[in-house]
Each structure stands twice: as structure tokens, then as C-alpha cells.
Amino acid sequence: MDPFIRDLPKAELHMHIEGSLEPELMFQLAQRNDIELPYGSVEEIRAAYEFSNLQDFLDIYYAGAGVLQTEQDFYDMTWAYLERAKADTVRHVEIFFDPQTHTDRGIAFETVVTGIHRALVDGRDELGISFRLILCFLRHLSAEAAMHTLEMALPYREWITAVGLDSSEVGHPPEKFRDVFDRARAEGFLTVAHAGEEGPPAYIEQALDLLHVERIDHGVRCLEDDALVERLREAQVPLTVCPLSNVKLRVFDRIEGHNLAHLMARGLKVTVNSDDPSYFGGYVGANYEAVANGLGLAREDLVTLARNSFEASFLSDEDKAAYVAEVEAYAAERS
Ligand code: ADE
Ligand code: ZN
């Protein structure tokens, strides 16, 4: 990897922790927990990672998460991600977890959240990576199920900064979760939502108007609606864009056709993220490198993306300023 990209201080704001589970660890956890996988080897698992849309991917992703049983399993998965993040000079992470993927298999909410949180605390203390945790509701399940999940999260609210919305987008518009998000905000959670990945620009509008989100996850389809672009620009609503994910899931056919440079040129607050790095062929540094090479971004564009990543985070203004100063110092040293 280009050392300039590797060493650029950055935050990652859109990463599903279950999507960081590498085939090697999946295999190891299956053995440790005596779980039969439909694959005979690590190579077979990797070979199955051929998707042509979001649903193909989600089917494999939910199956892979079935190896996670104990608090230590969730710890080990999260720790492995943090070590990868450290290697890419990630200084701050805001990661998603999907509790329903686990509670629906009989794993306690407490097991999931405690394992992840414990690894995040160790990552902060030993790797110097600050963190926030975001609970995502699975939008293909009912609003009632999401409300029940929110209630399970209330005892852990000190550990969970925000709620989000992921899984199959089309046919499950943000409005379906309006009451759940109202309750979440009343309980003190911030909100984000996946919108405009495969779904239309109207879903982005709904996420803003009905769910009152602080950021839009993906949001790349906003360019189909000029008025929406102007609104996102005016309010500087961050978009957490995931370039390699978008190519793997065929939102764009090739990285050279990705609209990230257009989003930036329209004045939007764009960030670069990995989404599900184990499945999509690269961690956050690889995503920066893919857009740098594929779209011919200049170093100052990469610095803008890194600066945006901290400014779009849920850190305090003071912490944002300190990280942005780190980015500026890094850029100044190398210009
Ligand atoms: N869950 C994990 N990755 C996702 C994505 N890219 N879109 C929707 N749900 C997801
Ligand atoms: Zn995502």
C-alpha cells in the first residue's frame, strides 16, 4: 500500500463488525464451538464470496455469523479488526453490530455487547484507538422486533452511542422504523441509517425527515436528485461511502465508475469506509487506495477524506479538533 495512505490518520465510521470476520477466524471458531460449516476449508469459504447484489451477500454474511457463540468469540472478532485498523493508522472507529443476527439464534444480547465492548476498551488502552458503538436494526425484520431489541439495549446505553438501520434496503423504507427511532432518540441515542445504497433517493429523504439521522450510510444514489444533493450539501450531512463494497455488490460496475469524486465535487461531506472488509476485499486503507488509483484522487483529496472522517464522527468537538490537527500536521510534513 502507498505509505502516504497507510500512514494518514483516519477514522472509520461504517464497518459492520460481523463483516470483519475473516475466513480463518470463522473456521477456527467453528472448530472451537463444534459447529458444522457448509465449507471444508478456508479456501472454500473465500471462494463462496461471489456476490452480484446485496441479498446474495447478506445470505452468506448471516450464515458466517453463526459461528459466534461466546463472549470471547465476539471479543476475538473485534480485536482482530482493531489490529487490522491499527495497521491502517485508524485512530478512531465507530462500528456497527447487528444484535438480532445473534439474539435470534439464542445468543444473549449481553454476550454480544460485552465481548465487543471489552475488545474496544482494550483497543483504546493498548492500540490507542478511540471508539463508539452503533447498534443496527435489521430492516428486513419487523419494527416490533426492532423495538424489542432497543429495549434489550437500554441497560447498556452507556456503551452504545447510536442506533442504525441495515440489511436488505429495497422494500424496507426508513418510515417502517419511525416509532423505533423516535423512542431511541428519546432514550438519548443518536441515529444513522443505511440509505441510497440500492434504495432510491426518497429513502435518503425519509432517513433525514423521519429518522432524523446525523449521517447517511452509503447515500451514493443521492446524485439522482439535485434538490436532495443541495440539501445534503447545505446541511453538510456526512455520507459514509464504501467504495469496494459498492463494486462487490454491483452498485457500480467498476471502481473507475464510482461516483465518489462527483460527490466530493458537489461539496458533500464524504468519508471512505470498508463496510464488511472480510467480504469485500479490503480494509479502510485499501478503500482509500482503490479510489485514489481508480478515480485519480490527489493527495489533498485524500487529506480531505481523512479530515472529514473525524469531523463526521460522534467525538466531542475537542477530540475532533485534536485529530484534525493530527491530519493537518501529517499533510504539512509531506507536502
Ligand atoms: N449489513 C452489512 N453490510 C451491509 C450493507 N452494505 N448494506 C446493508 N446491510 C449490511
Ligand atoms: Zn453497511
Side-chain angles (χ1 to χ4, degrees):
M1 186 183 303
D2 175 355
F4 181 83
I5 290 175
R6 186 194 60 212
D7 299 340
L8 177 63
K10 49 183 92 63
E12 176 151 59
L13 308 179
H14 183 160
M15 209 292 298
H16 304 261
I17 195 63
E18 294 88 350
S20 73
L21 185 59
E22 291 285 341
E24 287 77 10
L25 184 56
M26 191 188 294
F27 216 74
Q28 209 179 313
L29 295 182
Q31 288 184 328
R32 181 155 105 190
N33 294 324
D34 214 5
I35 288 170
E36 186 104 27
L37 277 177
Y39 312 103
S41 67
V42 165
E43 292 68 36
E44 267 185 48
I45 301 178
R46 260 186 226 292
Y49 292 179
E50 280 305 322
F51 327 107
S52 54
N53 59 49
L54 179 58
Q55 195 58 53
D56 286 356
F57 155 68
L58 290 171
D59 292 343
I60 292 184
Y61 162 87
Y62 294 131
V67 301
L68 298 158
Q69 301 283 321
T70 67
E71 185 189 314
Q72 191 63 39
D73 298 342
F74 288 93
Y75 179 98
D76 291 346
M77 171 175 65
T78 307
W79 183 258
Y81 163 69
L82 291 167
E83 287 191 315
R84 299 269 198 158
K86 174 81 179 174
D88 281 353
T89 322
V90 173
R91 305 279 290 113
H92 176 71
V93 297
E94 302 195 349
I95 65 172
F96 298 127
F97 74 120
D98 284 347
Q100 289 160 291
T101 299
H102 315 297
T103 53
D104 286 2
R105 308 182 278 119
I107 311 292
F109 188 96
E110 179 186 11
T111 300
V112 179
V113 74
T114 306
I116 295 171
H117 179 76
R118 197 157 56 79
L120 289 169
V121 168
D122 286 354
R124 180 192 64 203
D125 296 346
E126 295 173 32
L127 306 175
I129 300 174
S130 54
F131 67 87
R132 298 286 187 272
L133 183 57
I134 303 173
L135 182 164
C136 272
F137 302 114
L138 297 182
R139 67 202 305 159
H140 69 276
L141 301 178
S142 70
E144 291 71 31
M147 191 68 93
H148 180 58
T149 302
L150 176 60
E151 281 162 3
M152 287 196 281
L154 294 179
Y156 303 95
R157 77 176 88 199
E158 296 305 313
W159 293 355
I160 301 169
T161 302
V163 300
L165 199 57
D166 67 0
S167 189
S168 324
E169 187 182 3
V170 176
H172 302 285
E175 65 185 343
K176 174 175 165 186
F177 297 95
R178 185 180 191 159
D179 291 348
V180 183
F181 275 61
D182 280 348
R183 171 85 191 276
R185 281 184 288 104
E187 296 285 356
F189 296 97
L190 299 172
T191 62
V192 297
H194 283 54
E197 177 187 21
E198 286 192 343
Y203 284 20
I204 299 175
E205 267 170 358
Q206 282 188 18
L208 295 169
D209 292 333
L210 307 181
L211 307 186
H212 303 281
V213 296
E214 310 283 335
R215 303 194 289 249
I216 296 285
D217 296 314
H218 293 293
V220 291
R221 287 193 59 192
C222 71
L223 285 189
E224 295 167 30
D225 181 335
D226 280 340
L228 176 60
V229 172
E230 182 48 28
R231 177 179 181 185
L232 293 167
R233 188 197 62 76
E234 174 82 38
Q236 287 292 288
V237 178
L239 305 183
T240 62
V241 176
C242 306
L244 290 174
S245 163
N246 291 156
V247 173
K248 261 296 206 203
L249 301 183
R250 305 285 184 83
V251 176
F252 299 97
D253 286 339
R254 22 206 299 275
I255 195 72
E256 291 78 9
H258 197 286
N259 70 5
L260 177 133
H262 296 291
L263 296 168
M264 292 179 79
R266 296 288 291 272
L268 301 179
K269 199 159 198 73
V270 177
T271 66
V272 165
N273 308 272
S274 68
D275 207 5
D276 301 281
S278 161
Y279 292 88
F280 298 150
Y283 286 76
V284 66
N287 277 272
Y288 273 75
E289 185 146 71
V291 290
N293 295 337
L295 306 176
L297 298 189
R299 280 193 173 185
E300 68 183 80
D301 299 319
L302 301 172
V303 170
T304 296
L305 290 166
R307 192 189 302 112
N308 287 352
S309 72
F310 293 111
E311 288 175 350
S313 74
F314 294 142
L315 286 162
S316 68
D317 287 345
E318 195 184 347
D319 288 343
K320 285 183 192 181
Y323 280 127
V324 169
E326 239 183 78
V327 173
E328 304 299 358
Y330 178 87
E333 253 171 51
R334 282 157 189 81
S335 64

